[in-house]
Amino acid sequence: MTALAAAAIFLAGALDSRELFQRVKPSVVQIQVLSPTGELRSLGSGFAATSDGLLITNHHVVEGATRMEALFADGRKMKVSAVVFDDPDHDIAVVRVDEPTTPLQLGRAMSAVVGDEVMLVGSPFGLDFTITVGSVARYRPDGLTPEMLALAGDVKPVDRQPMLQLNASSGQGNSGGPVLDGTGAVLGIVRAGIGAHGNFTFAVPSESIQSALAQAQRVAADTSVDGRLLNVGISALVFGVLAVLYVRMRRTS
């Protein structure tokens, strides 16, 4: 779909869920948390945010994990090689796979209008690459209401952070999956569903994701530079040792 066609759909307020799903599914992943021996422990969802393998998911999906894999819609499985950045206060984690990926673009949750149609893509209850179509219910800049906080009991910092409230169902396994507008831009990632059937969903907004991604990219760049410097330093040390040995051998010969 061209940018003009996508803009036309967005302006018309119509979300072509079939076309949109086909377009974004190469970028959506199922995050599989495994035991050290390879048994499946839990599931979450996520999406590719950069072309060099950075994926976005929830902190609570990866918390405590020592081994993870990312399953793509085409059946490929990639080892998650690192948690590059982890932000419990906003329930965001940025993880890496060491292969190229097709990224989704981030939208603006703060600009979303009540009633705008959205699509959730994820793996609720292990049903991989499932979609739910709904709408924006409200943008909550201060997080959960006092009444909701009182009911929650175990209040965490993320509960007081900005959230996007959606009229869309989600289930266990949807966590970390993208919330998409009609153009395919990511408005947020699923954090939790409430109600008897998870028919209200709260999502971490794209602005928080953008901040976490920027920090993850700085960490990744620093790690890369440190690695190069370390390699250069080791090479220089080895060269120096060999040079000293060569000089000594020449003197004794």
Side-chain angles (χ1 to χ4, degrees):
M1 174 182 279
T2 66
L4 182 61
I9 288 177
F10 178 76
L11 292 172
L15 189 153
D16 185 340
S17 57
R18 293 171 298 180
E19 191 280 333
L20 185 60
F21 176 65
Q22 292 302 317
R23 186 154 54 90
V24 303
K25 74 176 184 179
S27 306
V28 180
V29 298
Q30 180 187 89
I31 302 291
Q32 300 181 348
V33 178
L34 308 174
S35 72
T37 55
E39 290 86 5
L40 182 64
R41 283 187 169 173
S42 61
L43 291 172
S45 301
F47 72 93
T50 66
S51 59
D52 60 351
L54 293 184
L55 311 179
I56 303 291
T57 188
N58 286 132
H59 158 77
H60 76 259
V61 169
V62 306
E63 185 178 13
T66 58
R67 181 177 174 185
M68 291 180 283
E69 291 180 338
L71 172 66
F72 287 76
D74 62 5
R76 290 178 301 154
K77 273 190 179 182
M78 299 183 190
K79 177 185 176 182
V80 173
S81 59
V83 177
V84 180
F85 184 77
D86 192 18
D87 182 359
D89 288 350
H90 292 85
D91 200 13
I92 303 171
V94 184
V95 303
R96 176 183 290 285
V97 294
D98 295 326
E99 295 186 43
T101 47
T102 303
L104 296 178
Q105 298 300 311
L106 293 176
R108 288 180 52 81
M110 292 177 64
S111 299
V113 177
V114 173
D116 282 350
E117 289 186 279
V118 293
M119 175 191 288
L120 282 56
V121 187
S123 299
F125 309 109
L127 301 172
D128 51 343
F129 307 104
T130 296
I131 70 168
T132 302
V133 176
S135 61
V136 174
R138 186 170 178 179
Y139 179 78
R140 295 190 176 276
D142 300 317
L144 299 181
T145 65
E147 294 78 12
M148 290 177 177
L149 291 173
L151 291 173
D154 181 20
V155 177
K156 299 179 180 180
V158 66
D159 296 322
R160 301 182 187 277
Q161 301 297 333
M163 288 189 196
L164 194 61
Q165 182 182 332
L166 309 167
N167 294 314
S169 61
S170 61
Q172 186 176 2
N174 264 122
S175 293
V179 177
L180 304 157
D181 69 14
T183 71
V186 177
L187 295 180
I189 54 172
V190 173
R191 178 173 179 266
I194 63 172
H197 303 287
N199 50 334
F200 276 96
T201 293
F202 288 95
V204 179
S206 53
E207 289 79 9
S208 297
I209 297 169
Q210 182 64 67
S211 176
L213 180 60
Q215 294 182 72
Q217 289 174 311
R218 286 195 290 270
V219 170
D222 290 344
T223 302
S224 177
V225 169
D226 291 345
R228 288 197 299 271
L229 291 176
L230 179 61
N231 289 335
V232 170
I234 291 173
S235 298
L237 177 62
V238 171
F239 178 79
V241 171
L242 291 175
V244 170
L245 290 175
Y246 175 75
V247 170
R248 288 182 177 177
M249 288 175 63
R250 289 292 299 271
R251 286 177 178 174
T252 57
S253 61

